[in-house]
Amino acid sequence: MSPAADLTHQRLIRAALELFSSRGYHDTTTAQIAKKAGVAEGTIYRHFPSKQQLLNELFRAALRWALKAVEDSGAGPPRARLASIAQAFAEGAVRDPAVVKLALLERHDAVLDDDSRKTAREFRMGLERVIAQGKAEGAVRSGAADVWAGVWLTVVAYALEKIVAKDWKPGDAAVGLVIEGAWEAIAG
């Protein structure tokens, strides 16, 4: 891809990400994406076969970021790892709220392709491995790791929604309470 084409591609991605996260996937048109990116609508189709494919590319990139936060949480105790993951998500919600919304706060199941579903499974499995480690150490309640991962993520999502809305900041006491509450919800 030429430098100009790469720049256009990046502008389309950024415009779509911002519009999908503010207006929603279904209420965003390709004409709106093109206008925000400063290109003709037909230009989108030189870079992406469809609006759905554009969303899927964005979704996969956002989930790869979330998976990296899980993988970068180290090899310590599960409680510390989950706190580190939650903090990374919170900092990401300030740095790039649209990415956090797309990856962790919004549902796009009806329009996800197989690659996106696979990326979502990889993210969940990474989180479930941390939970399973906690179960093996007796720190997490007995029961299915996928259930406890879902509970933990749902509680953390509350703080992320508040941060994305600019009601809270990552260092606020309320964020710490939510992260602690997420742990308490699954602790054995």
Side-chain angles (χ1 to χ4, degrees):
M1 194 178 298
S2 73
D6 187 48
L7 180 59
T8 299
H9 189 85
Q10 292 305 315
R11 287 195 343 237
L12 287 167
I13 286 174
R14 191 76 227 164
L17 181 60
E18 289 174 18
L19 288 167
F20 290 157
S21 69
S22 64
R23 301 179 57 89
Y25 170 77
H26 293 292
D27 291 334
T28 298
T29 66
T30 54
Q32 292 166 333
I33 295 168
K35 182 177 180 183
K36 186 159 188 72
V39 300
E41 187 174 4
T43 302
I44 291 173
Y45 299 103
R46 282 189 241 136
H47 294 267
F48 304 96
S50 66
K51 180 175 91 166
Q52 184 176 349
Q53 184 58 38
L54 176 53
L55 173 80
N56 275 278
E57 185 172 318
L58 291 167
F59 180 80
R60 286 189 299 272
L63 270 184
R64 283 191 298 270
W65 164 81
L67 178 58
K68 184 171 181 346
V70 172
E71 291 169 346
D72 288 352
S73 66
R79 182 178 189 160
R81 291 185 67 195
L82 289 169
S84 173
I85 294 163
Q87 194 60 43
F89 290 170
E91 290 166 6
V94 170
R95 190 175 48 258
D96 205 338
V99 168
V100 170
K101 281 180 75 175
L102 191 67
L104 302 172
L105 301 179
E106 297 174 345
R107 301 290 302 212
H108 299 286
D109 298 343
V111 294
L112 296 180
D113 62 21
D114 289 342
D115 288 341
S116 291
R117 284 189 203 85
K118 179 180 179 229
T119 304
R121 277 191 307 277
E122 290 168 358
F123 164 70
R124 287 298 292 240
M125 288 179 0
L127 195 53
E128 289 168 21
R129 280 191 293 276
V130 177
I131 301 292
Q133 176 193 351
K135 283 180 53 180
E137 295 174 6
V140 171
R141 297 176 189 217
S142 63
D146 65 323
V147 171
W148 296 128
V151 168
W152 181 86
L153 194 55
T154 299
V155 175
V156 169
Y158 178 72
L160 299 177
E161 288 170 358
K162 292 289 197 176
I163 294 168
V164 165
K166 296 185 177 14
D167 294 336
W168 295 355
K169 292 182 178 74
D172 289 351
V175 174
L177 287 173
V178 170
I179 292 171
E180 180 64 23
W183 172 256
E184 292 299 324
I186 67 170

